[in-house]
PDB file of all heavy atoms in Angstrom:
ATOM      1  N   GLU A   6      26.017 -12.409 -10.033  1.00 89.00           N
ATOM      2  CA  GLU A   6      24.697 -12.653  -9.459  1.00 89.00           C
ATOM      3  C   GLU A   6      24.795 -13.110  -8.013  1.00 89.00           C
ATOM      4  O   GLU A   6      24.102 -12.590  -7.132  1.00 89.00           O
ATOM      5  CB  GLU A   6      23.984 -13.703 -10.323  1.00 89.00           C
ATOM      6  CG  GLU A   6      22.611 -14.088  -9.822  1.00 89.00           C
ATOM      7  CD  GLU A   6      22.001 -15.214 -10.661  1.00 89.00           C
ATOM      8  OE1 GLU A   6      22.435 -15.396 -11.818  1.00 89.00           O
ATOM      9  OE2 GLU A   6      21.106 -15.898 -10.148  1.00 89.00           O
ATOM     10  N   PHE A   7      25.679 -14.064  -7.738  1.00 92.00           N
ATOM     11  CA  PHE A   7      25.700 -14.627  -6.392  1.00 92.00           C
ATOM     12  C   PHE A   7      26.366 -13.697  -5.386  1.00 92.00           C
ATOM     13  O   PHE A   7      25.973 -13.616  -4.234  1.00 92.00           O
ATOM     14  CB  PHE A   7      26.327 -16.020  -6.422  1.00 92.00           C
ATOM     15  CG  PHE A   7      25.526 -16.945  -7.291  1.00 92.00           C
ATOM     16  CD1 PHE A   7      25.962 -17.287  -8.561  1.00 92.00           C
ATOM     17  CD2 PHE A   7      24.275 -17.375  -6.875  1.00 92.00           C
ATOM     18  CE1 PHE A   7      25.182 -18.088  -9.382  1.00 92.00           C
ATOM     19  CE2 PHE A   7      23.483 -18.171  -7.691  1.00 92.00           C
ATOM     20  CZ  PHE A   7      23.941 -18.530  -8.958  1.00 92.00           C
ATOM     21  N   ILE A  10      23.698 -11.150  -4.501  1.00 96.00           N
ATOM     22  CA  ILE A  10      22.718 -11.676  -3.539  1.00 96.00           C
ATOM     23  C   ILE A  10      23.348 -11.757  -2.155  1.00 96.00           C
ATOM     24  O   ILE A  10      22.753 -11.348  -1.156  1.00 96.00           O
ATOM     25  CB  ILE A  10      22.222 -13.065  -3.995  1.00 96.00           C
ATOM     26  CG1 ILE A  10      21.458 -12.949  -5.320  1.00 96.00           C
ATOM     27  CG2 ILE A  10      21.351 -13.713  -2.926  1.00 96.00           C
ATOM     28  CD1 ILE A  10      21.228 -14.278  -6.020  1.00 96.00           C
ATOM     29  N   GLY A 119      14.360 -15.177  -3.120  1.00 98.00           N
ATOM     30  CA  GLY A 119      14.006 -14.358  -4.268  1.00 98.00           C
ATOM     31  C   GLY A 119      14.618 -14.882  -5.536  1.00 98.00           C
ATOM     32  O   GLY A 119      15.011 -16.058  -5.628  1.00 98.00           O
ATOM     33  N   ASP A 120      14.704 -14.004  -6.513  1.00 97.00           N
ATOM     34  CA  ASP A 120      15.334 -14.352  -7.780  1.00 97.00           C
ATOM     35  C   ASP A 120      15.933 -13.077  -8.350  1.00 97.00           C
ATOM     36  O   ASP A 120      15.416 -11.981  -8.097  1.00 97.00           O
ATOM     37  CB  ASP A 120      14.295 -14.957  -8.728  1.00 97.00           C
ATOM     38  CG  ASP A 120      14.952 -15.774  -9.829  1.00 97.00           C
ATOM     39  OD1 ASP A 120      16.104 -16.221  -9.643  1.00 97.00           O
ATOM     40  OD2 ASP A 120      14.323 -15.957 -10.878  1.00 97.00           O
ATOM     41  N   THR A 121      17.028 -13.198  -9.079  1.00 96.00           N
ATOM     42  CA  THR A 121      17.729 -12.031  -9.598  1.00 96.00           C
ATOM     43  C   THR A 121      18.095 -12.278 -11.045  1.00 96.00           C
ATOM     44  O   THR A 121      18.676 -13.320 -11.360  1.00 96.00           O
ATOM     45  CB  THR A 121      19.002 -11.763  -8.773  1.00 96.00           C
ATOM     46  OG1 THR A 121      18.646 -11.700  -7.388  1.00 96.00           O
ATOM     47  CG2 THR A 121      19.653 -10.453  -9.180  1.00 96.00           C
TER      48      THR A 121
HETATM   49 MG1   MG B 402      16.479 -18.523  -9.206  1.00 63.56          MG
END
Side-chain angles (χ1 to χ4, degrees):
E6 178 184 338
F7 299 104
I10 296 166
D120 200 22
T121 307

